[in-house]
Amino acid sequence: PLPRPFTVPLPIPRAARPVAPNRYELTQRAARVEIIPGTTTEVWGFDGTFPGPTLELRRGTPVTVRVRNELPVPTSTHLHGGVTPADSDGYPTDLVVPRGRTFRPHGMHGHHDPSAWTLHPEAKDYVYPVEQRAATLWYHDHRMDFTAPQVWRGLAGIAIVRDDEDDALPLPKGERDIPLFICDRAFEEDGSFRYPSLDPTLLVRPGVEDAYMEGVQGDVILVNGAPWPVLDVATARYRLRLLNGSNARRYRLELTGGARFVQVGSDQGLLAAPVEHTALSIAPGERFDVVVDFSEYPPGSEITMVNTLGEGGTRAVMRFRVARRVRDDSRVPERLADLPPADRATAVATRVFDFRRTRHDSHDAWTINGVPYRPGMPVAEPRLGTAEVWRFASDFHHPVHLHLAHFQVLARGGREPEPADAGLKDTVDVRPYEIVDVLVRFDGYRGRYMLHCHNLEHEDMAMMADF
Ligand code: C2O
Ligand code: CU
Ligand code: CU
């Protein structure tokens, strides 16, 4: 039986502890954890936890994360939102293969060239320079053709980059700065995760049953790995780092009791100025950094975060219970950060990417510009240090994500961007039959990176491309 909503306390994932200065080790392994009270679920987690340990990063302090794979399948780990050299970026065919396993590269979309695969036995060191602004990032599996089931089983965690500029603001801090990793899952009666894989060993045949072509959703909403949790809060402002880690579910988040979200940051950190929302739509991969003020609510009040796109169990997300009075000297300043102007004229090229379902070898695939993913065949070769306008078109909901490069939304549906499009982003929700223009800056490193749909089933079904 599922728990009554708002009875399980909100967990806060523990911070990853360095094994040496600026060195971390995360072991991917199976573990049984209690998600639904009274039963256990086998997760595949970083250090056996879901979400994994939070990586606390500081701008200007590079770190090395050794990922050791003790699972029965290969993995690739990507720091989503990270400005990372290509060989540490979690390329889908750059795999860590568990000890004692032989792994034969294969794939859903024709015969991959074996030279396109790099196999690391047991472990790999991922190097993150962290030369980037403070922001809420996350890390997750990125294995070719099997990202969706491997993330569903638990291979994901939060990463927070902090810097002096963000620290200097009078925003809520410490215990009032809380990451909320939101995702949906479904469960079998025995407590195990339910997922419609064609091959539950995840070793041979990729893909999901036809009925799940549009993506896999669950009927239980988890926040930081707990079903519909409750958090006791004080009469104060809280900074909530909302992250949609779902495979395919979009949420429209609202607070009951007239509470509002004051957005201070997006995927890539602080906005220029706060933006107030009564509702926030969040697509897979996106993050919104918001401040919620509970100071007007007397102790005993309950404020529920709901998903107005959901019904039944997927309508509830979590609850805040005002438990005590405190003095609060945090505030949200009128100016938050200096952002570069989003000036179309700085673009040296314009490219169009059409995200659409197309027919391929007598079956349907999710494609970009009609072409299913081919590792090693770039669809664009922008120059480091330049900016381009990328235009995304779609036939369905496709949250479009770019590795390495960050962007600003220039136009949505031929009109001005919407208030929630503000700031620097790495993932943008492209809605059915919509055209979204973004100004992308290619900074950081040369190399092979990816753009893809962050509906993870679409990604596995080939809606990905190299640039
Ligand atoms: Cu969050 Cu390429 O992914
Ligand atoms: Cu990414
Ligand atoms: Cu998609």
Side-chain angles (χ1 to χ4, degrees), residues 78 80 138 140 142 401 403 450 452 454 459:
H78 169 59
H80 179 128
W138 59 305
H140 60 78
H142 220 295
H401 171 54
H403 287 216
M450 283 161 288
H452 62 87
H454 219 288
E459 174 183 340

Side-chain angles (χ1 to χ4, degrees), residues 58-242:
R58 181 116 208 136
R59 181 179 194 166
T61 304
V63 301
T64 301
V65 179
R66 172 165 296 175
V67 176
R68 183 176 301 282
N69 181 358
E70 294 182 358
L71 294 168
V73 296
T75 62
S76 174
T77 301
H78 169 59
L79 178 65
H80 179 128
V83 180
T84 306
D87 58 359
S88 284
D89 196 47
Y91 193 72
T93 57
D94 184 0
L95 298 170
V96 183
V97 180
R99 181 207 271 280
R101 302 260 170 177
T102 46
F103 169 68
R104 228 170 1 92
H106 54 264
M108 182 177 205
H109 322 290
H111 308 283
H112 297 308
D113 169 6
S115 68
W117 300 74
T118 311
L119 305 180
H120 307 269
E122 272 177 76
K124 172 178 161 95
D125 285 351
Y126 292 89
V127 178
Y128 302 129
V130 202
E131 294 285 351
Q132 58 185 103
R133 335 170 57 216
T136 309
L137 315 183
W138 59 305
Y139 62 95
H140 60 78
D141 183 64
H142 220 295
R143 175 186 166 200
M144 183 75 189
D145 295 334
F146 291 93
T147 293
Q150 296 195 169
V151 171
W152 184 272
R153 290 189 195 199
L155 289 175
I158 301 160
I160 298 176
V161 179
R162 299 182 197 275
D163 67 8
D164 295 346
E165 184 191 13
D166 190 296
D167 285 355
L169 295 176
L171 296 171
K173 289 187 172 61
E175 286 183 352
R176 292 186 206 139
D177 174 351
I178 296 177
L180 299 176
F181 184 114
I182 303 170
C183 65
D184 58 340
R185 291 291 184 271
F187 295 85
E188 302 287 359
E189 271 179 68
D190 66 2
S192 59
F193 283 137
R194 176 178 209 157
Y195 188 88
S197 285
L198 295 176
D199 169 14
T201 70
L202 309 188
L203 283 170
V204 183
R205 187 167 175 214
V208 289
E209 296 163 17
D210 280 347
Y212 296 89
M213 181 88 189
E214 291 185 350
V216 178
Q217 299 190 327
D219 58 348
V220 177
I221 306 300
L222 305 179
V223 185
N224 296 346
W228 308 291
V230 59
L231 175 69
D232 280 351
V233 294
T235 53
R237 286 179 199 80
Y238 281 70
R239 179 175 187 173
L240 305 175
R241 299 168 183 263
L242 306 170

